[in-house]
Amino acid sequence: MAKQSLKAQNLVTIQKLDKPFFVLAPMDDVTDTVFRQIVASCAKPGLMFTEFVNVDGLQSPGRPRLMHKLLLSKYEGPVIAQLWGLKPENYYKTTKDLIGIGFAGVDINMGCPVKTVIKNGACAALINNKPLASEIIDAVQEAAGDALPISVKTRVGFTSVDMSWPEFLLTKKLNMLSIHGRTAKQLSKSPANWSLIEEIVKMRDSLYPSTLIVGNGDVLTRAQGLDLAQKNNLDGIMIGRGIFHDPFVFAKASPWQGWSREQKIELFKKHIKLHIETYKNKERRFETLRKFCKVYINGFDGAAELRAEFMETEGPEQALNLLNQ
Ligand SMILES: Cc1cc2nc3c(=O)[nH]c(=O)nc-3n(C[C@H](O)[C@H](O)[C@H](O)COP(=O)(O)O)c2cc1C
């Protein structure tokens, strides 16, 4: 297929989503192909993100250890691959690698505030380094050409709110910009500031109306997301931790509250079985499955005890045996 038509297709996928569209946020150790398939089987959002994947690692001999983060299945709907790293040339090469393998776009992580990441100048640290941020975006856009839409996910500032940052990003003619309404320093602590996101939408309207704006931060239900989207004139709403409270968070009417212990355990078993099938060579650590314990084993008698037993298990097969009992 010609590159031109690939980009056209991908862009159409993003542009033609009913607005406001919902997005599953990128979450490290969480939003792998397995969990995305589980979410899709419950209630598919308009878009999903991969976990962040390091381009400098991908373009090094360590590449095989990271490739599992880019697995994709046909059951997930449109998925954006999220990249992070430092070297523009590695962003360039990685974006080239991503063309034509099924992703709906490439996102650059400019928001992760984790110390080990920002101490080297990556992710949220780029908020304080517009020249490098600009080079990285240019490299990704040049590599993507007409083949893939490009987006950035970021925050509203580093130590304090800095509206020159979204203003700068809007000059970069991105296809999509996802804004988490907190500074990097705020981590996930104080409430997300949606009035800043609203200001960025207005800025977009005057600077570059083609960039889709997605708001993110503290949305726990679809109804809350729709309300925020309408109030702030947003194109999309991104939900992260809300999925831990309700795997059907993207459904018009979630059945989760009414689900029995058996139904929840069946869904967890499906997740674990898919993990076993997908990572036959143990490419992904079993420990990542423990993160989901509280999602599925919750809200029924004996849940706390079962969770404690689950935490003692040492591999997916043993975990499955426990849940089968
Ligand atoms: C466990 C976890 C992992 C995360 N990993 C990433 C990541 O890889 N890339 C990223 O851009 N944001 C990451 N985030 C941030 C989320 O995408 C999102 O911006 C944040 O959780 C706020 O949204 P929420 O209030 O809906 O959870 C992560 C958040 C959590 C809780």
Side-chain angles (χ1 to χ4, degrees):
M1 190 187 292
K3 282 180 181 175
Q4 183 71 37
S5 61
L6 251 183
K7 163 105 170 192
Q9 254 193 5
N10 287 327
L11 265 182
V12 168
T13 309
I14 292 182
Q15 300 287 357
K16 85 173 183 202
L17 291 168
D18 287 341
K19 289 180 193 159
F21 53 86
F22 280 88
V23 185
L24 176 67
M27 288 187 279
D28 191 35
D29 276 352
V30 176
T31 56
D32 68 331
T33 179
V34 170
F35 188 54
R36 294 195 307 262
Q37 287 175 65
I38 296 293
V39 173
S41 74
C42 292
K44 212 185 248 182
L47 267 180
M48 301 204 242
F49 275 59
T50 65
E51 310 163 87
F52 69 164
V53 196
N54 186 279
V55 293
D56 304 316
L58 279 174
Q59 301 303 331
S60 79
R63 180 187 183 99
R65 285 202 303 277
L66 292 176
M67 287 306 288
H68 67 92
K69 286 174 182 269
L70 289 171
L71 289 175
L72 186 64
S73 76
K74 61 181 177 196
Y75 306 107
E76 301 162 41
V79 176
I80 297 211
Q82 193 189 55
L83 306 179
W84 73 284
L86 274 177
K87 295 198 174 140
E89 66 267 29
N90 289 337
Y91 277 96
Y92 181 90
K93 287 183 198 155
T94 305
T95 304
K96 284 277 183 208
D97 293 342
L98 290 171
I99 292 174
I101 60 171
F103 286 103
V106 171
D107 180 81
I108 311 167
N109 180 321
M110 296 194 175
C112 176
V114 171
K115 269 197 192 127
T116 47
V117 161
I118 57 171
K119 76 167 192 254
N120 296 320
C123 296
L126 291 166
I127 297 172
N128 288 333
N129 189 351
K130 292 190 185 102
L132 181 57
S134 182
E135 262 190 73
I136 289 172
I137 295 170
D138 291 348
V140 173
Q141 284 176 329
E142 198 192 324
D146 282 330
L148 283 171
I150 303 304
S151 75
V152 165
K153 177 169 178 282
T154 191
R155 293 180 176 239
V156 289
F158 192 77
T159 38
S160 56
V161 172
D162 173 7
M163 295 304 262
S164 76
W165 172 242
E167 190 179 354
F168 153 78
L169 289 173
L170 285 164
T171 65
K172 299 302 291 182
K173 299 190 165 44
L174 300 164
N175 299 107
M176 191 170 88
L177 178 60
S178 304
I179 301 281
H180 179 184
R182 292 185 177 93
T183 63
K185 194 178 166 195
Q186 285 173 319
L187 301 173
S188 291
K189 288 175 188 155
S190 40
N193 185 333
W194 283 81
S195 60
L196 291 172
I197 300 176
E198 186 186 8
E199 261 184 66
I200 294 168
V201 172
K202 287 184 185 142
M203 209 183 252
R204 181 278 310 268
D205 292 344
S206 65
L207 284 177
Y208 193 65
S210 305
T211 301
L212 299 174
I213 305 281
V214 174
N216 170 234
D218 302 337
V219 180
L220 289 178
T221 64
R222 183 185 159 94
Q224 189 193 352
L226 286 175
D227 190 44
L228 282 164
Q230 197 185 19
K231 276 190 190 134
N232 302 309
N233 199 20
L234 285 157
D235 299 298
I237 290 286
M238 180 182 277
I239 297 185
R241 291 163 299 172
I243 199 79
F244 297 138
H245 300 277
D246 180 356
F248 291 85
V249 71
F250 299 110
K252 285 192 178 134
S254 167
W256 189 243
Q257 288 309 320
W259 263 34
S260 66
R261 169 198 164 100
E262 286 67 32
Q263 284 173 303
K264 289 177 179 175
I265 288 179
E266 266 321 301
L267 191 60
F268 198 7
K269 280 164 56 181
K270 180 170 158 184
H271 187 150
I272 297 169
K273 282 181 196 159
L274 200 50
H275 177 104
I276 295 171
E277 271 166 37
T278 307
Y279 307 114
K280 288 203 174 69
N281 300 317
K282 306 206 178 341
E283 297 90 333
R284 198 172 174 86
R285 292 176 306 128
F286 164 65
E287 286 69 25
T288 59
L289 282 176
R290 294 209 174 114
K291 283 218 161 97
F292 297 97
C293 207
K294 217 167 172 186
V295 176
Y296 303 106
I297 309 181
N298 204 345
F300 53 79
D301 287 346
E305 292 78 1
L306 185 53
R307 280 203 301 271
E309 282 185 69
F310 189 94
M311 294 315 253
E312 297 293 313
T313 59
E314 283 170 2
E317 292 80 7
Q318 201 188 342
L320 209 50
N321 283 341
L322 172 74
L323 297 180
N324 276 330
Q325 279 166 27

